[in-house]
Amino acid sequence: MRQVLPYRIYFLWGLLPFCILCSSSTNKCTVRHEVADCSHLKLTQVPDDLPTNITVLNLTHNQLRRLPSANFTRYSRLTILDGGFNTISKLEPELCQNLPLLKVLNLQHNELSHLSDKTFMFCMNLTELHLMSNSIQKIQNNPFKNQKNLIKLDLSHNGLSSTKLGTQVQLENLQELLLSNNKIHVVRSEELDFLANSSLKKLELSSNQIKEFSPGCFHAIGKLFGLFLNNIPLGPSLTEKLCLELSSTCIQNLSLSNIQLYTTSNMTFAGLKQTNLTALDLSHNNLNVIGNDSFAWLPHLEYFFLEYNNIQHLSSRSLHGLFGVRYLNLKQSFTKQSISLASLPKIDDFSFQWLKRLEYLNMEDNDIPGIKSNMFTGLINLQYLSLSNSFTSLRTLTNETFLSLAHSPLLLLNLTKNKISKIESGAFSWLGQLKVLDLGLNEIGQELTGQEWRGLDNIFEIYLSYNKYIQLTSNSFASVPSLQRLMLRRVALKNVDSSPSPFHPLRNLTILDLSNNNIANINDDMLEGLEKLEILDLQHNNLARLWKHANPGGPVCFLKGLSHLHILNLESNGFDEIPAEVFKDLFELKSIDLGLNNLNVLPPSVFDTPVSLKSLSLQKNLITSVEKNVFGPAFKNLSNLDMSFNPFDCTCESIAWFVNWINETHTNISELSSHYLCNTPPQYHGFPVMLFDTSPCKDSAPFELLFMINTSILWMFIFMVLLIHFEGWRISFYWNVSVHRVLGFKEIDRQPEQFEYAAYIIHAHKDRDWVWEHLSPMEEKDQSLKFCLEERDFEAGVLELEAIVNSIKRSRKIIFVVTHHLLKDPLCKRFKVHHAVQQAIEQNLDSIILIFLEDIPDYKLNHALCLRRGMFKSHCILNWPVQKERINAFHHKLQVALGSRNSVH
Ligand SMILES: *[C@@H]1O[C@H](CO)[C@@H](O)[C@H](O)[C@H]1NC(C)=O
Ligand SMILES: *[C@@H]1O[C@H](CO)[C@@H](O)[C@H](O)[C@H]1NC(C)=O
Ligand SMILES: *[C@@H]1O[C@H](CO)[C@@H](O)[C@H](O)[C@H]1NC(C)=O
Ligand SMILES: *[C@@H]1O[C@H](CO)[C@@H](O)[C@H](O)[C@H]1NC(C)=O
Ligand SMILES: *[C@@H]1O[C@H](CO)[C@@H](O)[C@H](O)[C@H]1NC(C)=O
Ligand SMILES: *[C@@H]1O[C@H](CO)[C@@H](O)[C@H](O)[C@H]1NC(C)=O
Ligand SMILES: *[C@@H]1O[C@H](CO)[C@@H](O)[C@H](O)[C@H]1NC(C)=O
Ligand SMILES: *[C@@H]1O[C@H](CO)[C@@H](O)[C@H](O)[C@H]1NC(C)=O
């Protein structure tokens, strides 16, 4: 019995790899919002472990041979099942039974060959069924009978030889039936009558070898609005028959591209007379001859596609009758047959006179000889005219070239690529409503006097880029103040520095492109007043000198005042210096491109612009270090940064901050690993900047801190030394006072009666007479006042020093009678003063009174007695007056000083 358990375990262990294998093979599907994508997984079976609530299941590009209905029972909520690009050859009817909500079933690129009545029997809710690129050659009976909700049925790229999809009327809601690339040779009415109740927006029969349209074939369909018969070699006669078959149908959209319709006559489209055709595509037909009145039957036509043909001659009646056309495409419709000029296509005057409603005319890429005086006459609704690369010789635009457009409300005129070399005065004076004039890619070489633009009162954009040379004057744009966009790229621009600036009249300018002109000289007022300018392109010029400090007169600040500038491009100008303040007043600047310059060291906070930058390009400069003080502000809210191909110096000081920033930022920096490489030091050459290890750099941070602390300590030390030198006495004195107060030597404020003496008088022996003479009388006057005079009051026999100490303690105040004698008295110096001061510190600062009998400077006082006037309250410092009449005042002051409470306040 004991043996069994291990065996079981072995058995389970043996199964484990298989379980992992089978589950992992199906778990690769990605499921998001009830959409399971199992495409491209080499699946041979339908996964059985997807959430049951999925509504979309994508099984394309796998190796499924079948879609077993049982496997779908758990996915009963599916509305879209895409099984395209597998090798499914058979479909179980029960599939739809298990998927009652299925709306879209895609089985394109499979191997289905046979559809029976049962195949889609239960697929009643289907709106789209894609069976393109299978091998269905024949449809028997009615496999689509139950598809009452079907809107789109794609059976293209099969082998069907007939349009017949059923024997009875069905598919009443079908809108698109795609049968292109089959083997249908004849369109028969009995093969389309299953659609008798349908309204088809699109019947796609392109790329079939149709040779015949049997009578009434299109009338068999309930309503036919759109018919596509591209890539069928119908030729003129079958086309004519086709149109007859379409007579009186609902046809609105007919596409006959690439059907070898090389000629049309007044009969070709006669059958369409009884229709409301609105769109006709005759492109890619090699159409050579348009017979007069060919389209006279199409008064409802609105969209007419005639591009890529070979029309030799458009006569005044070729387009007769196209009164409703709003869009006409004649791109590459008139091409020359051979090299000889005689075979150039011709467009007669008044050819377009019938197209009263035409709004859009494309005549690009033609070989029309030139513009005749009535070429466009009658186009009274024309708004968009493209004449790009239309003419073989339109060298000069004169005041008569566009005369025939005088009555057209033209908004856009495209004249690019016509080898135009000169614009004469008033050339556009007929086009007062024009908004966009494109003259790019020509050979214009002239001075712009301003007369060229005369009459362009509503012009919004002039595109002049890529011409031979343009010489500006102060008046070049004086007649077009409404201009908002001016493109002057690569036109060998001359006299940009004329004064006043050529751009001065363009107060509404928002975009100015002056790039690729090798401009070296501009004035600082070139853009003055262009307050609406948003985009300025100055790349590929030669402006480096203008921003050099060494420039005579200082850097030229040509950007000043552009308060609405958003985008500034200064690429490839050779800049090696940027003035620090140059971007400071560009209040809305979001993007700067300074790539391909020679910048190395940038001034701190040069990018500290009023709003934070979104995009900064500095690729291919000579930047070695990326430091916080320069780039910190710019990098704050950046979405895109390009600093690729700079010779970064991979040392802590140069790029540690940058590398740390890269690792944290959400800014988009493309090609970080391959285009941001270290240049120095040699051991890091070619090493990706992003891999630079900044952890050793962190050690330098404490050092920096240490350095800072050290220097501050040093400075503080120096400060203290100076302070102590000059004010030390004050500090130590007040320090002593404070310490005593703080340590609890309470202010001794004993009542006056606790003291024996009102004051102890310290004086030099030689000043004895003055004391007797002037202080004793005070005692006599005031009985309560008693001084301690050494000579008089010391008890006999007591040691002198002890007596002094005791007496000082018993006195409320101490009076110093300061004279030169006192300063020299040794006992005073050493002992009495010390005690007195000690007591003052312990008790109170105004317990000491200084009476100066002579004028003694402070330094002498300090030197001899270590006392300064500054230590005491001013009312405790008295001067013995020279004048007799002030002696009374002195006595009064002394009494005040003696009477004052021993307090600091
Ligand atoms: C669908 O099923 C998954 C798990 O099977 C569940 O997480 C998810 O919330 C379900 N979604 C809805 C809309 O019920
Ligand atoms: C299924 O996936 C393929 C390939 O990824 C994609 O082309 C197709 O549109 C997807 N089908 C559906 C219904 O989303
Ligand atoms: C799919 O159904 C077949 C039988 O119809 C069954 O053998 C197979 O195990 C099923 N596969 C899954 C993944 O459910
Ligand atoms: C068609 O779909 C609806 C829900 O949209 C459902 O109620 C109905 O049963 C479906 N019909 C069939 C035949 O499955
Ligand atoms: C068609 O043109 C021919 C001449 O080319 C003319 O005889 C005939 O009357 C025209 N038919 C119509 C309907 O204009
Ligand atoms: C064409 O349109 C008009 C009105 O818009 C309508 O009366 C007429 O029946 C339409 N003709 C055809 C053939 O559909
Ligand atoms: C065109 O300019 C010429 C002078 O160059 C003038 O004689 C002629 O009248 C102008 N034509 C028009 C239509 O203004
Ligand atoms: C003018 O036509 C050229 C060529 O098609 C095109 O590239 C250009 O964008 C057009 N210009 C305008 C303003 O549309």
Side-chain angles (χ1 to χ4, degrees):
M1 279 301 285
R2 277 188 203 158
Q3 307 274 322
V4 174
L5 195 61
Y7 274 123
R8 260 192 206 162
I9 291 172
Y10 277 118
F11 177 69
L12 288 174
W13 276 107
L15 273 181
L16 204 59
F18 290 100
C19 294
I20 291 168
L21 246 171
C22 60
S23 63
S24 67
S25 71
T26 55
N27 269 336
K28 284 190 216 151
C29 301
T30 55
V31 182
R32 201 176 296 140
H33 306 301
E34 287 141 48
V35 174
D37 184 356
C38 302
S39 60
H40 295 278
L41 290 178
K42 298 198 168 87
L43 298 181
T44 54
Q45 279 199 328
V46 179
D48 61 351
D49 53 356
L50 300 169
T52 56
N53 56 9
I54 55 169
T55 60
V56 179
L57 176 55
N58 195 335
L59 293 168
T60 56
H61 301 276
N62 281 300
Q63 295 161 7
L64 302 171
R65 292 162 162 272
R66 298 171 61 222
L67 296 175
S69 57
N71 297 160
F72 286 92
T73 42
R74 57 184 272 121
Y75 309 128
S76 60
R77 297 217 201 158
L78 278 189
T79 58
I80 299 178
L81 174 59
D82 194 345
F85 299 91
N86 279 289
T87 52
I88 301 162
S89 55
K90 209 167 184 309
L91 216 56
E92 292 174 16
E94 295 78 16
L95 179 69
C96 281
Q97 228 171 356
N98 290 340
L99 304 174
L101 305 177
L102 198 63
K103 283 190 159 10
V104 177
L105 176 59
N106 194 334
L107 293 168
Q108 63 171 316
H109 290 271
N110 274 292
E111 295 174 2
L112 296 171
S113 56
H114 181 74
L115 303 180
S116 80
D117 278 10
K118 286 187 183 160
T119 312
F120 302 110
M121 189 165 69
F122 301 110
C123 304
M124 308 231 276
N125 275 341
L126 274 194
T127 59
E128 287 184 28
L129 179 54
H130 299 267
L131 297 168
M132 175 215 205
S133 295
N134 277 280
S135 338
I136 305 160
Q137 301 197 348
K138 199 165 168 64
I139 289 184
Q140 282 162 330
N141 303 323
N142 297 293
F144 306 112
K145 190 179 65 195
N146 277 0
Q147 274 64 61
K148 296 206 188 318
N149 294 312
L150 203 63
I151 291 171
K152 182 170 183 175
L153 176 57
D154 188 351
L155 279 161
S156 55
H157 289 272
N158 276 286
L160 295 172
S161 56
S162 152
T163 59
K164 193 176 178 82
L165 304 180
T167 60
Q168 63 190 73
V169 176
Q170 52 192 285
L171 294 168
E172 26 302 73
N173 282 307
L174 197 66
Q175 293 180 8
E176 290 187 33
L177 176 56
L178 310 182
L179 290 166
S180 54
N181 285 288
N182 276 291
K183 297 199 169 118
I184 299 163
H185 294 274
V186 187
V187 182
R188 295 194 176 89
S189 66
E190 62 270 28
E191 291 174 352
L192 285 169
D193 56 11
F194 67 97
L195 296 168
N197 286 344
S198 316
S199 295
L200 285 192
K201 288 212 176 97
K202 184 170 186 179
L203 175 57
E204 174 64 272
L205 289 169
S206 298
S207 304
N208 279 289
Q209 298 296 313
I210 296 174
K211 304 239 155 39
E212 192 186 332
F213 298 96
S214 78
C217 58
F218 297 116
H219 289 270
I221 303 170
K223 281 181 176 165
L224 178 61
F225 292 107
L227 178 60
F228 293 76
L229 290 164
N230 306 324
N231 315 319
I232 305 172
L234 296 177
S237 67
L238 200 52
T239 304
E240 196 176 322
K241 274 190 196 153
L242 165 72
C243 292
L244 287 170
E245 284 309 321
L246 286 169
S247 178
S248 306
T249 62
C250 296
I251 192 79
Q252 287 181 349
N253 188 356
L254 180 59
S255 189
L256 299 172
S257 178
N258 190 22
I259 59 160
Q260 297 182 12
L261 184 68
Y262 45 84
T263 174
T264 64
S265 74
N266 61 3
M267 294 312 295
T268 312
F269 302 102
L272 297 173
K273 181 186 170 190
Q274 311 278 332
T275 67
N276 286 341
L277 196 72
T278 55
L280 177 61
D281 187 351
L282 294 177
S283 62
H284 296 274
N285 270 311
N286 243 337
L287 184 59
N288 202 296
V289 175
I290 299 183
N292 284 347
D293 304 328
S294 288
F295 310 113
W297 320 102
L298 308 173
H300 301 285
L301 200 63
E302 291 180 25
Y303 300 91
F304 197 7
F305 303 88
L306 270 171
E307 63 266 30
Y308 300 100
N309 279 298
N310 202 3
I311 303 166
Q312 278 314 291
H313 183 200
L314 201 65
S315 78
S316 64
R317 288 193 76 83
S318 298
L319 301 174
H320 173 230
L322 291 170
F323 304 117
V325 170
R326 294 195 282 138
Y327 173 101
L328 176 58
N329 194 339
L330 288 169
K331 177 174 178 160
Q332 214 168 315
S333 297
F334 305 92
T335 48
K336 65 178 162 194
Q337 297 285 297
S338 62
I339 307 156
S340 80
L341 264 173
S343 62
L344 282 181
K346 269 205 298 214
I347 297 183
D348 288 352
D349 270 353
F350 301 106
S351 290
F352 297 107
Q353 61 177 313
W354 319 105
L355 308 177
K356 300 285 180 220
R357 291 184 62 194
L358 195 67
E359 291 168 11
Y360 177 100
L361 176 57
N362 185 348
M363 296 187 70
E364 282 171 21
D365 301 330
N366 285 305
D367 292 318
I368 304 163
I371 298 186
K372 295 183 183 167
S373 55
N374 281 298
M375 183 163 176
F376 299 108
T377 305
L379 291 171
I380 55 172
N381 273 303
L382 193 63
Q383 291 174 21
Y384 305 92
L385 176 57
S386 178
L387 297 173
S388 168
N389 191 26
S390 294
F391 303 101
T392 52
S393 58
L394 191 69
R395 303 269 171 233
T396 305
L397 303 183
T398 71
N399 60 359
E400 307 204 327
T401 307
F402 300 111
L403 180 58
S404 63
L405 286 164
H407 299 289
S408 305
L410 209 58
L411 300 177
L412 183 148
L413 178 59
N414 196 336
L415 287 165
T416 57
K417 301 189 229 169
N418 279 305
K419 300 199 172 84
I420 298 167
S421 59
K422 186 154 183 8
I423 310 168
E424 286 186 0
S425 159
F428 306 106
S429 56
W430 316 105
L431 311 176
Q433 301 194 41
L434 201 64
K435 286 201 171 316
V436 180
L437 175 59
D438 193 343
L439 286 161
L441 297 133
N442 279 294
E443 291 169 6
I444 299 167
Q446 70 184 79
E447 183 185 64
L448 294 181
T449 64
Q451 285 303 305
E452 299 79 11
W453 318 122
R454 204 179 65 217
L456 289 172
D457 297 334
N458 288 295
I459 197 75
F460 169 85
E461 172 170 1
I462 293 180
Y463 188 95
L464 267 169
S465 296
Y466 303 103
N467 274 290
K468 206 157 153 200
Y469 78 89
I470 302 279
Q471 187 166 330
L472 296 178
T473 64
S474 293
N475 287 326
S476 288
F477 303 103
S479 57
V480 282
S482 61
L483 200 63
Q484 291 186 31
R485 297 179 178 177
L486 178 58
M487 312 296 175
L488 288 164
R489 174 178 299 199
R490 221 210 68 200
V491 289
L493 207 56
K494 293 181 186 156
N495 292 358
V496 197
D497 57 344
S498 45
S499 185
S501 164
F503 310 113
H504 185 73
L506 302 177
R507 295 295 155 135
N508 292 307
L509 211 57
T510 58
I511 303 180
L512 178 59
D513 185 352
L514 298 174
S515 58
N516 298 69
N517 281 305
N518 213 23
I519 301 170
N521 293 321
I522 60 182
N523 297 332
D524 62 354
D525 63 353
M526 177 181 81
L527 304 169
E528 199 174 78
L530 302 188
E531 276 166 17
K532 295 186 179 169
L533 199 64
E534 289 171 12
I535 300 177
L536 177 59
D537 284 324
L538 279 168
Q539 65 269 32
H540 294 276
N541 281 298
N542 197 6
L543 303 176
R545 176 187 62 81
L546 301 174
W547 276 359
K548 281 190 200 292
H549 277 94
N551 183 47
V556 181
C557 292
F558 53 87
L559 297 174
K560 61 175 193 269
L562 300 179
S563 53
H564 281 82
L565 198 66
H566 287 173
I567 300 175
L568 175 60
N569 194 336
L570 292 165
E571 214 184 75
S572 292
N573 268 288
F575 286 121
D576 51 5
E577 277 181 57
I578 303 185
E581 304 288 305
V582 78
F583 304 127
K584 285 286 186 298
D585 60 347
L586 306 180
F587 296 111
E588 296 187 5
L589 195 61
K590 302 231 168 65
S591 165
I592 305 179
D593 190 342
L594 277 163
L596 293 125
N597 281 295
N598 298 323
L599 297 168
N600 175 9
V601 180
L602 295 162
S605 49
V606 63
F607 298 120
D608 196 358
T609 48
V611 291
S612 42
L613 290 177
K614 289 270 167 271
S615 167
L616 178 61
S617 295
L618 281 161
Q619 79 278 18
K620 298 192 180 159
N621 275 281
L622 302 173
I623 294 168
T624 50
S625 77
V626 186
E627 283 160 33
K628 190 179 180 188
N629 63 346
V630 178
F631 295 98
F635 284 5
K636 232 182 283 158
N637 288 316
L638 215 55
S639 332
N640 279 298
L641 174 67
D642 188 353
M643 286 187 86
S644 56
F645 298 110
N646 274 292
F648 295 107
D649 174 41
C650 290
T651 58
C652 287
E653 308 82 72
S654 301
I655 62 157
W657 177 79
F658 185 43
V659 175
N660 288 332
W661 176 81
I662 285 175
N663 290 336
E664 286 165 14
T665 186
H666 297 294
T667 302
N668 186 11
I669 311 170
S670 54
E671 310 285 1
L672 193 51
S673 57
S674 54
H675 293 171
Y676 291 72
L677 304 176
C678 304
N679 186 50
T680 51
Q683 69 266 31
Y684 281 120
H685 185 83
F687 186 78
V689 165
M690 62 183 291
L691 300 180
F692 179 77
D693 182 12
T694 59
S695 51
C697 305
K698 297 212 175 73
D699 298 345
S700 76
F703 282 127
E704 258 171 47
L705 195 67
L706 210 62
F707 174 75
M708 274 164 58
I709 290 171
N710 277 344
T711 31
S712 18
I713 286 175
L714 188 65
W715 277 112
M716 264 164 70
F717 179 73
I718 291 170
F719 174 75
M720 292 290 283
V721 165
L722 292 175
L723 189 73
I724 287 168
H725 184 77
F726 292 109
E727 293 285 321
W729 61 269
R730 205 188 287 272
I731 294 167
S732 67
F733 177 72
Y734 280 100
W735 171 251
N736 272 328
V737 171
S738 309
V739 164
H740 277 92
R741 297 289 144 78
V742 170
L743 291 183
F745 296 92
K746 270 265 148 50
E747 190 177 298
I748 302 167
D749 194 13
R750 289 178 284 185
Q751 297 304 307
E753 45 280 10
Q754 289 173 281
F755 294 101
E756 201 173 316
Y757 304 110
Y760 181 94
I761 301 184
I762 298 175
H763 59 89
H765 189 69
K766 290 187 178 162
D767 297 322
R768 186 174 48 167
D769 295 343
W770 182 88
V771 172
W772 281 109
E773 189 178 335
H774 290 101
L775 297 183
S776 309
M778 284 178 77
E779 283 182 319
E780 285 159 23
K781 265 190 216 162
D782 184 351
Q783 289 302 310
S784 63
L785 196 67
K786 192 158 179 267
F787 296 120
C788 176
L789 296 172
E790 290 168 19
E791 291 85 351
R792 186 186 69 188
D793 299 314
F794 276 18
E795 298 155 35
V798 178
L799 194 68
E800 197 187 7
L801 295 182
E802 205 177 314
I804 293 171
V805 173
N806 288 336
S807 302
I808 285 178
K809 276 188 184 155
R810 279 185 280 160
S811 306
R812 217 172 129 233
K813 306 259 170 173
I814 300 150
I815 296 177
F816 282 83
V817 179
V818 188
T819 58
H820 286 289
H821 302 306
L822 183 78
L823 303 190
K824 286 174 196 148
D825 190 316
L827 190 64
C828 284
K829 258 182 177 171
R830 298 256 163 87
F831 188 77
K832 291 183 195 165
V833 172
H834 173 78
H835 262 280
V837 171
Q838 201 57 38
Q839 178 155 346
I841 287 170
E842 285 173 17
Q843 293 187 2
N844 204 305
L845 291 183
D846 42 3
S847 63
I848 289 183
I849 298 167
L850 300 182
I851 299 175
F852 287 88
L853 299 190
E854 295 161 9
D855 188 24
I856 290 173
D858 214 33
Y859 75 92
K860 279 193 179 165
L861 186 64
N862 174 40
H863 194 247
L865 302 177
C866 297
L867 291 177
R868 288 172 191 266
R869 285 182 174 85
M871 288 176 176
F872 308 102
K873 298 280 169 71
S874 60
H875 65 87
C876 298
I877 299 171
L878 307 176
N879 291 302
W880 178 245
V882 187
Q883 300 95 330
K884 284 239 160 65
E885 50 276 339
R886 293 205 182 165
I887 288 179
N888 269 341
F890 169 81
H891 283 300
H892 180 71
K893 276 190 194 167
L894 183 58
Q895 262 166 339
V896 169
L898 287 169
S900 69
R901 253 176 103 251
N902 285 358
S903 110
V904 192
H905 318 116

